[in-house]
Amino acid sequence: MRGADGTAVDVVGRDAELAALERLTGDVQHRGAAVLVRGEAGIGKSALLNLAGHDAAQRGLRVLRATGVESETTLPFAGLHQLLRPLFGRLPALPAPQRRALMAAFGTTDDTAAELFLIGLAALNLLSDSATDRPLLLLVDDAHWLDRPSADVLGFVARRLESEPVVLLAAQRDDFPDVLAGPGLQEQHLQRLDRRTAEEVLVRRAPHLDPTTRARLLDVAAGNPLALAELPLDGAHDDADPPTLTARLEHAFAARLPALPDATRDVLLVAALEDDQTPGESLTAASALRGEPVTAQALLPAVEAGLVAVDGGTLTFRHPLARHAIRQQATPPRRRRAHLALARTSREPDRQVWHRAAAADGPDDALAAELEEAGARARRRGGAAAAQAAIERAARLTADPAERARRYLRAAELAFERGRPDAVDRLLRQTTTLDVPARERVRMTVIRDGFEEGVHDVRTGTRMLTEAAVEAAADGRTDQALQFLRAAALRCWWAEPGTSARARLLEVVEQTLGLDDVLALEVLSYVAPFSRGAVLLDRLRTVADGPIDTARAQAAGEAASVVGDFPLAVQFLTSAVTGLRGDGRLGLLARALAVQAWSALNVGRFDLAATAADEAARLAADSAQPLMGTVARVVQAVVSAVRGPQGVHDAGDAGDVEDRLADAARLGLQVDSRAVLAGVQVARGAVALNHGQHHTAWDHLLRVFTATDPAHHPVVRTFAVTDLVEAAVHSEHRADVEPIVAELETVAARTPSPALHIGLQHGRALLAADDEAEHLFAAALTTDLNPWPFARARLQLAHGAWLRRQRRAAESRAPLRAARDTLDALGATAWSDRARQELRASGEQSRPRTPEAREQLSPQELLVAQLAADGLTNREIGARLYLSHRTVGTHLHRVFPKLGITSRGALRTALGA
């Protein structure tokens, strides 16, 4: 850091922070990391990054740098391009889809940008490959000014660095929204210096300062290092100074400008307005601004004033506040002239258009059309933020009100695509005085209302979406009608819109959508899973026999899960997951995996439930889908409990199970989602039953079946009938559960839901009198339960226990053995222990269960091992799971000793069935 006279100022008071960063870079060969340094303006974030970079370079690390700049927040992947540019020589070694994705993102080809996560995987592998030669330190300063696509990619990378010899160190100001926050990212918050340390800094800067002025400066700077270095030594007592410290610092930088030569101030202004400038480009633009040559000599006064630094081919400002002060100090006419000069000298067409637009002081339809074209180009490169900004600016330059409204609405659509409800609201407000067709107003209001999947303002939102679909269908916009109806239908799942709203929605769905299309079946399943259950299952089972594309496989899987056919849901979603992986559509993949995990859990395929939920949780964080992340956490909690200590792995102990469920419940309450709260209560009931805590299980589960409870859900309750009845029978609540079962019998008469009918068969047998139970157990066991191994094993266990209590010990052993063996194979340790206890009571001893080797693996290790056993290479596995090949190798390095093998060829045998 430098003072006002340009002399160096040592960084003091940061020993602990520097030591922590040095430990990370010192251990980089063994473990990667990502750290976000936060703090107020001037607190020393940049200085800390620079010192960390210097130390890393001394240790032999390669240091890559990028700095977010305000004027580039609308340029897609500008920050990522800065960071990765030194590695472009390695691009040819990337797999072709990843190489093309990066090149399209950087605008070096005319290809349409790939999914953001494929770009993220390409960046991760480029860094991983480069780190093979030398470990890397990535320094990202002013991360709050990163363009959104770059920030998203770097967040994706940051969450996957644990196995890479790469450390990412980013700095962000406190007064900006989080840019890189998320799991896997450590935070280091810089505090102001204490009084003694601050005085030490000031003494180094001005050793002969009189005590009164020194005390005043210390009071004003309040421990901010930049203020101690930059505030004027003779002006800290001025009562006219700006009130905030940040404003004082900007004022201090601006106060140096009047003393500079005109040519110097012109160079500074064009450099401040065009952030990606070399000194030569700034001098060229300044020459165009002045109409006469400006040489490098013009930069010397700015360097001496401590405003900029020139190092070879780089021109950098001492601090972002200096850049901002220069922009603010210039009058509007002077800024316009500077933008025009930059437009004349820029070599990039899109930058030329932006500068011309910034210089415009009135409507200009031709320029607006050029801006819209620039926005379209940005959109093709994956820059929704840049496209939104360009089209919004084009709207402001448009004279015709109808055309201006069209552009504002298009910008609002892009803001919706980016997940920015604040921007949608602002852009829609721009249209309130314009002549916007009513149909378009409804359309955009619907989009704004659709940010959450139907968990806010449910009744009004459902009706609005329904009627918007009617209008869209009447106009022949069938795809849009389907979109609106699906959004409305999801409200029927996550919350409850009310009887009349649901009935109207069902009427419109059946009038508008033909049920030959699987996409329509998904919508119908959310709206009327019981009354239309037979039609839905018939159509879904017919579809399952033929070819189906990825989108429809996902829709069919979700529909099957809603109507209770979980084995069929797993079948469809397995197909969908394969297709979504290939397309790089991680947002949809996270959803498909979450529903697959829930479905696999309900049939007892705990390996699949564990691996799918683990991946869904990670991808839901990547794609900002908290509801899907919640579903994944619920599944993880139940699997961890059911499979015992080996099911917990690195997720923690039994306490972590309730922590996961408590987190999910908090989100359910925040968004008022009955589906989330019901899922949490079903999971808590399952966990309690697993531990033999029947009273606790009853209390948890009863909430899902109680209509007045926030956790009540008419569909989710049908998946938990077995658990509820078993909890009731063993906790003296038999009389309480019988009317609930009777009510569910009436529901079962309306729907063929396999989950409901299997649960009721089990419940009838448990509740029956002794003279009826034999017949009911036999009837339940004649059902084809092969696709439902956990339900079958629990039914066999219950049957065997009943036989033993009837003093028919010899007859009880066969079903108890079958239950034990299945539960052993599923890894349901508490349940298999229960079967052993019943067998022992019947007079037969069982060998202790021997855990299978694969049960030692974490869900991600198991998934990697399964793919390796199928013959995929590390790079192929990485591409499929959105991990680097090095991370895959690290997982396999851990897997082999756990399985007791030494080669990939032994994986298939070691993993077993």
Side-chain angles (χ1 to χ4, degrees), residues 257 274 728:
L257 296 173
E274 177 60 280

Side-chain angles (χ1 to χ4, degrees), residues 541-548 572:
R541 288 166 180 167
T542 300
V543 169
D545 294 332
I548 188 170
F572 279 124

